[in-house]
Amino acid sequence: MDFLAYPAYGLYLLLILGGGLGAILSQSLVRALMGLILTLFGVAGMYLLMAAPFLAFMQILIYVGAVSVLIFFAIMLTRSSDGGEAGREGSRGLGRMLLGLIAGLTPLAILAWVVVHKAPTELPLKPEASLASLGQYLTGPYALAFELISVALLAAMAGAVLLGFERRRAR
Amino acid sequence: MSPLTLFHLAALLLLALGLMGIVTRRSLVGMLISVELMLNGAGLALVASARLTPAVDELGQLGALLVMGLAAAEATLVLAIILVVARRLGSSETARVSELKG
Amino acid sequence: MTMTEILNHPLTQIVLGMVLILAFVGVNGLILVWMERKVVGFIQRRPGPYEVGPQGILQSLVDGVKLIAKQLVTPRGADRFLFWLGPMLSVTPVVVCFLPIPFSPALTTMDVNLGLLLILAFSGINVLALCAAGWGSNNKYALIGAARAVSQSVAYEIPLLLSVLCIAFQTGSLSLSAIAADQSRGLLSWNLWVQPLAFVIFFISATAETNRAPFDLPEAESELTAGFHTEYSGMGFGLFFLAEYTYMIVVCSVATVLFLGAYDGPFLPGPWWFVLKVYALILALMWFRWTFPRVRFDQLLNLCWKWLIPLGLVNLLATALVLKLVE
Amino acid sequence: MPGLAKTVKGLWSLLVGLGVTGVEFFRPQLTVHYPRKEVDNLATYRGHIDLVAREDDPLTPRCIVCRKCVAACPSGCIDIESRLVGAAPSGDARELSLAPGLVVSGTRAAPPPREKIRREVAAFRLNYNLCSLCGLCVQTCPVQSLAFSREAYLCGSSRSDFEFELLERLRRRAAAGRQQAA
């Protein structure tokens, strides 16, 4: 990383942290969504920092442009009471938060120890992988994975449509 | 700290945030958001590992791409499920989804 | 670092480019608002803005001053944060969209080799801005407008991508500069002649993506007052307005680069041709707006799912097949 | 196949529409910029109402004070004052009221001969602020004493500028006409 990369990393980390905290803590679900989007931008920035601009743009295109819009739709269609969750009631809410902290921090601590102490051999940043070679991998040795993803997407779409229809019949 | 560790720590941060969110959130949509956080962490870790170690570069990026595809599929499906739940039970809060409770 | 080194540093160039882009966006916004009102006037056989300056040319400037001078009102019960996030989020990404557009081989702010992807990615953010605005307004019209904007732009993103992919297949690059350079050998090398269907699909989808009439359902004033920007006053509204017109320039610029040979043209220097083509397309958009009545929502979605997407898929397949055969 | 034909027809209609607006774009404008130019074809313009004078006397309106216009006006913007003609004794108001045989509702009659008139307009006030220009008064007037004026360029700075005394206007018009004739 050159001299500009560390401040950039810090900025993106801040985006991720701030957005993530917003995403899991804010009462209003739409605000949580905005937090998620901030995080997504942070991650996209990190991709850019790793000289993987294709992934960064795909991240924005798919996550920000499609997935978060879907989530917005979910919030709107379920009329989640002004987009907020019912107030976390007193002690139970506190207990929840505690559990959440444990659930989050335990793996974080363990994995962080692993990451810091068992770091694999590291290379300086490789030159940017060309789009063509990505495509060759995708259509060559990993065509099956590619096809499986499309099958998964198709199945998800069909499933979603089916569920939607079922809902209509149930009415 | 080396760049790889830094990126991995960022990915871990995402994972931790996601886990926290999944435990504390009470609505399905909130949980979906948390899951997206974790998936992002996975993608970030994959790409960092591929870019900064001797591993094949393209594989990591492809992996991250596939994760994005999966996230899109998963979001679609979860949206449908949330809709059905909301329609049947009038709420997408997990505490109220208790039809199977004895 | 010497002065020239500083000037030649990519960061300096990007910052300079950003400033120029902002100026371009602002001036173009003013011109386009005036132009639109003139065009509608002429189509309805009246003069349009007339009083401020010769032929009313200063009208939009005066309007802008008025908008800036107005009080910013946040409605009661609105989510203040989301409410003001909306207009800002709708303008900011547009500026990024200008970065990779080649006004001429030399006049490109940032020659990204994934320029097309960058534009597609960042133009998608506008929907979120509309969502934030619609949700934050605490107003049912705004919310319905936002819901419409979402379903509309999600639907029309697909044919847009399909038509863009055809060109990417053909050129073998996602870099706008490369695509432009590929068509710089005279009128007959333009992609329009090879991909007329893709152009039509692109243009229709782009009209829908920019929420322009006849697809302006998110702000259908006869049903929704003003749709997602119902509650905005002053510059909040002004920013949405500016964003809409800037998106028009972006999509028309992209269409110019992809299909109309970008800066290619005789006699005049490249950038002039570019601007000329962009303005011709924008004029066509305005012409559409004042000719066609607003479509119904089911018509809108039918057009997309039953016509544009199948056609786009067929076109893409045909392109791939032909390219394979030629190879 | 019929679906396809329909589609083609639909697409063609879009082009036709574009053609229509495209042609209109290049045709000359119809707007008349008011302070610089004025419209000349005011023949069909329906401004506020005005009283019409008798043929034999430009100073007297045809009005027979039947008050039908007052009754017909939905906005209540007409107000008529009347007075008895000459030295007719006050008190026999009944006899002085409109003779039923004189004017049959729904017909357009000429005003009665002068000597038969017992009652004439003393003041005909129109509050143009309230008027909705429906024209019912003109329609109901049995003797065609009301007509639309051609004044397109009315302006004023206070409400009282639009409270007209139509009888006065009639007299002024007559005076102006006489001056012109002289």
Side-chain angles (χ1 to χ4, degrees), chain C residues 313-327:
Chain C
L313 277 174
V314 168
N315 195 31
L316 187 64
L317 268 179
T319 310
L321 268 180
V322 169
L323 280 178
K324 204 72 197 167
L325 287 180
V326 168
E327 208 180 87

Side-chain angles (χ1 to χ4, degrees), chain C residues 94 97-98 101 119 123 245-255:
Chain C
V94 195
C97 289
F98 275 104
I101 290 177
I119 290 181
S123 57
Y245 279 95
T246 315
Y247 269 112
M248 275 169 69
I249 307 176
V250 170
V251 295
C252 289
S253 304
V254 173

Side-chain angles (χ1 to χ4, degrees), chain D residues 24-118:
Chain D
E24 292 295 319
F25 185 89
F26 291 107
R27 288 171 74 185
Q29 290 157 16
L30 299 172
T31 306
V32 177
H33 285 275
Y34 161 58
R36 305 183 190 99
K37 275 182 259 166
E38 285 187 9
V39 188
D40 47 5
N41 57 341
L42 284 174
T44 52
Y45 184 77
R46 294 170 33 146
H48 66 80
I49 50 169
D50 243 342
L51 283 173
V52 179
R54 291 177 69 103
E55 285 79 16
D56 51 348
D57 177 12
L59 279 176
T60 321
R62 289 162 70 101
C63 181
I64 50 172
V65 205
C66 64
R67 292 180 200 276
K68 276 193 169 175
C69 49
V70 180
C73 181
S75 325
C77 56
I78 303 174
D79 180 28
I80 304 179
E81 268 174 36
S82 60
R83 66 162 173 261
L84 301 176
V85 171
S90 61
D92 52 352
R94 200 166 179 164
E95 202 194 340
L96 281 170
S97 70
L98 201 65
L102 200 62
V103 173
V104 185
S105 145
T107 58
R108 294 298 179 89
R114 193 155 265 256
E115 54 274 14
K116 279 197 180 169
I117 292 179
R118 306 262 170 87

Side-chain angles (χ1 to χ4, degrees), chain A residues 40-56:
Chain A
L40 297 175
F41 273 114
V43 174
M46 291 221 167
Y47 287 150
L48 270 185
L49 212 54
M50 285 188 277
F54 178 65
L55 272 186

Side-chain angles (χ1 to χ4, degrees), chain A residues 30-31 54 57 64 69 72-73, chain C residues 79 114 118 128 131 135 150:
Chain A
V30 181
R31 282 190 184 203
F54 178 65
F57 295 146
V64 180
V69 166
F72 182 76
F73 234 102
Chain C
D79 190 327
L114 296 170
L118 184 140
L128 284 169
C131 290
W135 188 273
V150 171

Side-chain angles (χ1 to χ4, degrees), chain C residues 42 45-47 50-51 287 291, chain D residues 21 24 28 30-31 33 36:
Chain C
F42 281 19
R45 299 184 69 183
R46 54 189 180 78
Y50 194 76
E51 300 295 337
W287 190 10
T291 302
Chain D
T21 45
E24 292 295 319
L30 299 172
T31 306
H33 285 275
R36 305 183 190 99

Side-chain angles (χ1 to χ4, degrees), chain C residues 22-35 60 241-242 245-246 249 279:
Chain C
L22 279 175
F24 181 71
V25 164
V27 172
N28 258 303
L30 293 181
I31 295 177
L32 284 184
V33 172
W34 173 79
M35 200 168 114
S60 37
F241 212 58
L242 185 65
Y245 279 95
T246 315
I249 307 176
Y279 267 69

